[in-house]
Amino acid sequence: MNDQRTRDDALRPEKAVDALRPADLEEISAELTERAGQLREEITASDEAVAALRADCDLDAADAGTKIAAAQQLRARRDEAHGLLQQTLGALDRLRNGTFGVCTSCGRPVGAARLRAVPHAERCIACTRTSEPPRSR
Ligand SMILES: [Zn+2]
């Protein structure tokens, strides 16, 4: 039992001490790694689909419009996946260098509940709210 406690303390990053336990961090790390792999596959698949559609358009101009629209949709999804992948890789970096769970904007703890729900979150809820564009009237 004592051995377990010593091991946990050694693994515990300096920051976010109260927020997440080593077991949580391991779980989040595994989740983020898996997510990054899925997103990479999604991006590759989208790229291939767009390339195939483009080749199709050259061959058959009749329904090029439909295919261009489909390609645009695919590209939008790919960009979204790409953005998410960057956030996911950023979170994995922070896990490695011990800054995971620290808001990249204000430096305060992001909060364990938020990190469990959104492990790739870069900023705390307060900073996310203030950075949102004001609603148009
Ligand atoms: Zn913040």
Side-chain angles (χ1 to χ4, degrees), residues 36 54 66 72 77 102-103 106-107 114 120 125 132-133 135:
R54 211 178 272 152
T66 321
Q72 273 168 351
R77 273 184 50 197
V102 179
C103 175
C106 70
R114 176 158 163 79
H120 61 264
I125 287 175
E132 269 170 17
R135 284 178 192 206

Side-chain angles (χ1 to χ4, degrees), residues 102-110 122-128 130:
V102 179
C103 175
T104 56
S105 195
C106 70
R108 275 180 235 140
V110 172
E122 290 171 2
R123 290 174 299 177
C124 67
I125 287 175
C127 287
T128 307
T130 50

Side-chain angles (χ1 to χ4, degrees), residues 3 33 39 41 47 56 66 123 131-132 135-136:
D3 284 348
T33 305
L39 287 166
E41 277 173 28
D47 280 345
D56 257 13
T66 321
R123 290 174 299 177
S131 72
E132 269 170 17
R135 284 178 192 206
S136 53

Side-chain angles (χ1 to χ4, degrees), residues 48-121:
E48 281 168 6
V50 169
L53 277 168
R54 211 178 272 152
D56 257 13
C57 291
D58 294 339
L59 293 174
D60 183 8
D63 59 355
T66 321
K67 281 170 183 163
I68 287 166
Q72 273 168 351
Q73 230 172 37
L74 274 168
R75 232 175 275 136
R77 273 184 50 197
R78 179 212 179 276
D79 288 348
E80 206 182 295
H82 186 76
L84 215 54
L85 176 63
Q86 293 310 310
Q87 287 179 11
T88 303
L89 293 177
L92 281 167
D93 270 352
R94 293 196 295 280
L95 270 171
R96 270 191 290 265
N97 66 28
T99 58
F100 184 78
V102 179
C103 175
T104 56
S105 195
C106 70
R108 275 180 235 140
V110 172
R114 176 158 163 79
L115 287 169
R116 282 196 194 94
V118 193
H120 61 264

